[in-house]
Amino acid sequence: MTGTVLTFYSYKGGVGRSFTLANVAVLLARWGYRVLTVDWDLEAPGLHHYFAPVLAEDPAGGVVDLAHEFLAGAKTPPAHAVQVNVGDGRLALLAAGRVDSGQLDSSYSRRMQAINWEDLYQRGFADFLERCRAEWTDEYDFVLIDSRTGISDIASICTAQLPDRLVVVFTANGQNLKDVVDVARRADDARDRLPYDRPRHVVLPVLSRLDNRVEYERAEKWQHRCAEVVAPLFRNWLVKTVSTDLMLRHLTVPYVSYWSFGEQLPVLEEKVPSADQISFALETVAAVIAQQFDRTDVLADNRDVYVAAARSHRKEFELDLLVSSPRPSMRAATDLIDELRHLGLHVDRSLSADPEFLDQTDEPAKHLCLVVDGQLTRWQTTEAERFLRHAFGAEGDQRQLFCVLTRETDREDLPGFLRNLRHLELEPGMRPVSVARQLHDLIMATPVSETEPDHEALRTAAAALRDLPPDMPYAERFALVTQAVRGMEAALDDGDMDLLLNRSADLVLLSRAHGNGNRVATPPNLRDRVSTLLNRIDRRIKTSTD
């Protein structure tokens, strides 16, 4: 999957932009993402200072060298990125230029000032940058660019041509607030003049260096004021049911005097931060980026769950499946586990009825199977809800909840979140050979060919859109439907069939909403959006089968 380019921008200096970028990069890398940081603040570069203690070697070149190498006739970007050692994660730095003993070499200023960016673009530097961008996004999940402040040729490169998304870092004062929203408009206007196909910017506002420990009342007033000013930046990605004030609070990095000296990486020291530590806020910002600005309703509801989902990216599990059952069906569960093991799966019994279960922080299995005998037990309900809170992630390789019923179980008596699942049934008095094989196939299924999964994803998406009811039990439901449809549009644009399937599944669940009383008709703009997307998918299906 192609990586995402994000530019960290600030209209004024001294707001903690480089600090935020460096720490977010470390977090993403430690969570299993491949991350490249690029220091494009050429007049005041500093990322090499933040990473100095953990750099594998001094950079022998950087961004300035890319420009000079292009002028010398280079057709492809030379490799100047160096490894940053942050444990098991993969993090690299493309510095501003050559670094010698922790400092930029003596020729840096002269070589940087000799660059005429307008002349570079006239010579075709934009296409050279596109090749750089293609290599970066092919090799890394996230490319984080530290941009020059203010309005300049360099800042335009970082905000208009290169990024998929912007992270605008600002502080609570009039100078910053005056231009924090306008930067996105200027970047979109500049992007429209470029000969490259880029969508409108999605912008993440980060309020930085807010001191709410001493002057709490003044900090609250500024927090509200900042939320009002940056509200337009949330319109094209924040779930409608989540207030901008609440989201900006999650995206606020507090001022902590201890970390204000020098260039530091608190996330390397505060491994499990408490809510009053700066790394707690940095984790939230990193999680929003890791989740591609998605599912912010989960963040609003439970921040720790949201961050945990981002942190568990590409997590290795000891087991394929845990089987949870009440005591009356213990024998059936044991037989099911034996059959699954015989088929080659790593399976064990859940200890959900053990009082110590609630204190466990690790998750040993990727998937969970509930054996329901008559009704779901209290322990199983707790276990299932806990599993579902952690079951979504940034990639299509999703964890699954399975439901196996005995003959004594009435589906209509199941909780809502289980009624919508596909149910497997145990035959009384018989070993669960068939159920075990079905579970095995669901867990271990692999594509038969290159084209069949794409066709299946497209057909599934089309069916989900056609089955969307003309009305809903309450108006607030349409915000979630719109989010699911928007996710399907983005997945189709990116050719991400796994993500298209996941968003289609979300839409199917939303379509099954039940309620009492009068129902609300689907808004016309949402009907039009669904119709347009359905036409696109139908054309794609027709084209691929002709």
Side-chain angles (χ1 to χ4, degrees):
M1 187 173 178
T2 303
T4 302
V5 181
L6 299 101
T7 288
F8 282 64
Y9 174 86
S10 62
Y11 183 71
K12 301 285 288 186
V15 302
R17 183 195 67 246
S18 300
F19 170 86
T20 302
L21 183 153
N23 281 275
V24 165
V26 171
L27 286 170
L28 291 173
R30 287 172 53 194
W31 294 348
Y33 300 94
R34 301 167 301 164
V35 184
L36 172 66
T37 57
V38 182
D39 196 343
W40 217 296
D41 186 3
L42 301 184
E43 294 186 12
L47 287 185
H48 60 285
H49 291 302
Y50 283 98
F51 296 133
V54 287
L55 276 178
E57 57 182 314
D58 281 340
V63 174
V64 165
D65 299 274
L66 289 178
H68 283 281
E69 286 156 352
F70 166 76
L71 290 173
K75 300 299 182 184
T76 57
H80 291 300
V82 295
Q83 188 70 24
V84 181
N85 297 320
V86 288
D88 295 333
R90 183 183 175 190
L91 176 60
L93 167 66
L94 177 59
R98 175 183 173 84
V99 175
D100 186 13
S101 300
Q103 302 295 327
L104 290 167
D105 77 339
S106 57
S107 67
Y108 174 80
S109 294
R110 172 180 55 78
R111 300 180 74 232
M112 185 272 294
Q113 293 170 359
I115 298 174
N116 183 326
W117 294 100
E118 183 177 356
D119 178 65
L120 273 179
Y121 265 72
Q122 290 176 354
R123 293 170 178 258
F125 188 62
D127 290 338
F128 183 78
L129 281 184
E130 286 299 297
R131 292 193 289 274
C132 292
R133 188 184 190 279
E135 287 195 8
W136 297 341
T137 55
D138 183 59
E139 188 173 353
Y140 297 95
D141 299 310
F142 292 101
V143 180
L144 310 184
I145 300 175
D146 196 17
S147 171
R148 181 79 179 97
T149 59
I151 304 171
S152 65
D153 292 335
I154 299 174
S156 294
I157 294 171
C158 297
T159 58
Q161 179 178 351
L162 290 175
D164 297 299
R165 300 180 176 188
L166 292 177
V167 179
V168 179
V169 185
F170 65 101
T171 55
N173 61 56
Q175 294 180 67
N176 274 275
L177 284 178
K178 180 181 177 182
D179 287 282
V180 68
V181 175
D182 196 46
V183 63
R185 181 192 59 78
R186 291 197 304 268
D188 280 332
D189 290 345
R191 172 171 283 186
D192 289 341
R193 296 190 294 270
L194 294 172
Y196 305 106
D197 184 18
R198 300 274 195 277
R200 307 292 284 181
H201 283 91
V202 179
V203 184
L204 182 72
V206 175
L207 175 56
S208 179
R209 301 178 65 84
L210 185 71
D211 189 354
N212 53 14
R213 299 189 178 194
V214 179
E215 297 291 341
Y216 176 78
E217 291 185 1
R218 294 186 67 187
E220 277 295 293
K221 290 179 180 179
W222 273 100
Q223 184 90 51
H224 287 302
R225 180 180 174 186
C226 291
E228 291 176 356
V229 172
V230 303
L233 301 180
F234 290 109
R235 286 176 185 162
N236 60 348
W237 64 272
L238 182 64
V239 174
K240 302 304 180 186
T241 56
V242 180
S243 71
T244 56
D245 185 78
L246 174 60
M247 187 51 52
L248 188 62
R249 289 180 186 276
H250 281 300
L251 298 173
T252 297
V253 178
Y255 173 77
V256 180
S257 59
Y258 180 83
W259 299 112
S260 65
F261 302 98
E263 295 83 8
Q264 302 187 70
L265 297 171
V267 295
L268 289 179
E269 297 186 29
E270 299 172 346
K271 295 296 179 63
V272 185
S274 57
D276 61 340
Q277 291 181 304
I278 197 167
S279 295
F280 188 86
L282 292 166
E283 280 188 344
T284 308
V285 174
V288 174
I289 291 173
Q291 302 283 10
Q292 299 288 356
F293 296 24
D294 195 11
R295 302 196 178 183
T296 47
D297 52 334
V298 178
L299 173 57
D301 181 61
N302 192 320
R303 177 266 178 198
D304 292 343
V305 166
Y306 190 81
V307 172
R311 188 189 292 120
S312 62
H313 172 74
R314 294 175 181 167
K315 180 177 179 179
E316 296 288 337
F317 293 95
E318 297 176 8
L319 301 170
D320 297 310
L321 183 71
L322 275 182
V323 177
S324 173
S325 67
R327 292 190 181 279
S329 58
M330 191 75 73
R331 175 61 183 273
T334 300
D335 290 343
L336 179 60
I337 291 171
D338 289 342
E339 292 293 339
L340 288 166
R341 287 174 175 170
H342 179 72
L343 293 172
L345 291 179
H346 299 285
V347 189
D348 208 343
R349 186 186 309 281
S350 169
L351 300 177
S352 60
D354 189 330
E356 295 182 359
F357 163 76
L358 296 177
D359 297 327
Q360 294 178 359
T361 57
D362 61 327
E363 295 179 277
K366 184 174 183 178
H367 308 295
L368 174 65
C369 174
L370 301 175
V371 177
V372 183
D373 187 13
Q375 62 181 7
L376 202 67
T377 68
R378 177 170 58 89
W379 288 105
Q380 286 181 305
T381 301
T382 301
E383 183 174 23
E385 291 176 345
R386 174 176 174 172
F387 176 85
L388 289 172
R389 284 198 299 269
H390 293 78
F392 74 87
E395 293 195 338
D397 186 21
Q398 298 292 299
R399 303 170 67 192
Q400 300 182 72
L401 175 64
F402 303 105
C403 194
V404 175
L405 310 180
T406 66
R407 278 288 181 88
E408 289 71 28
T409 305
D410 186 346
R411 300 169 190 238
E412 295 303 316
D413 292 336
L414 295 174
F417 68 90
L418 288 184
R419 282 199 300 270
N420 294 326
L421 295 178
R422 174 184 175 183
H423 301 127
L424 307 178
E425 293 188 358
L426 291 171
E427 294 292 335
M430 298 179 61
R431 287 190 65 83
V433 176
S434 175
V435 171
R437 186 164 294 281
Q438 291 179 72
L439 283 172
H440 172 273
D441 292 345
L442 289 170
I443 292 172
M444 303 300 292
T446 55
V448 176
S449 68
E450 292 292 326
T451 58
E452 184 173 335
D454 288 2
H455 282 89
E456 184 63 30
L458 292 169
R459 286 194 293 266
T460 300
L465 292 167
R466 288 193 177 93
D467 292 340
L468 189 66
D471 51 33
M472 288 282 172
Y474 45 90
E476 290 79 6
R477 197 75 172 184
F478 292 119
L480 298 175
V481 173
T482 301
Q483 182 187 4
V485 173
R486 186 185 299 130
M488 294 172 70
E489 292 170 342
L492 190 64
D493 289 340
D494 294 339
D496 189 341
M497 295 297 111
D498 287 338
L499 183 59
L500 183 63
L501 278 172
N502 291 333
R503 294 297 175 266
S504 300
D506 292 342
L507 189 62
V508 169
L509 291 177
L510 292 169
S511 299
R512 296 175 180 170
H514 301 285
N516 299 320
N518 297 328
R519 296 175 70 87
V520 183
T522 302
N525 62 332
L526 179 56
R527 287 202 308 268
D528 292 342
R529 189 166 197 161
V530 169
S531 178
T532 300
L533 179 57
L534 183 56
N535 289 335
R536 286 182 60 197
I537 292 175
D538 284 340
R539 287 195 300 270
R540 184 77 66 87
I541 293 173
K542 185 176 185 301
T543 301
S544 60
T545 54
D546 285 342

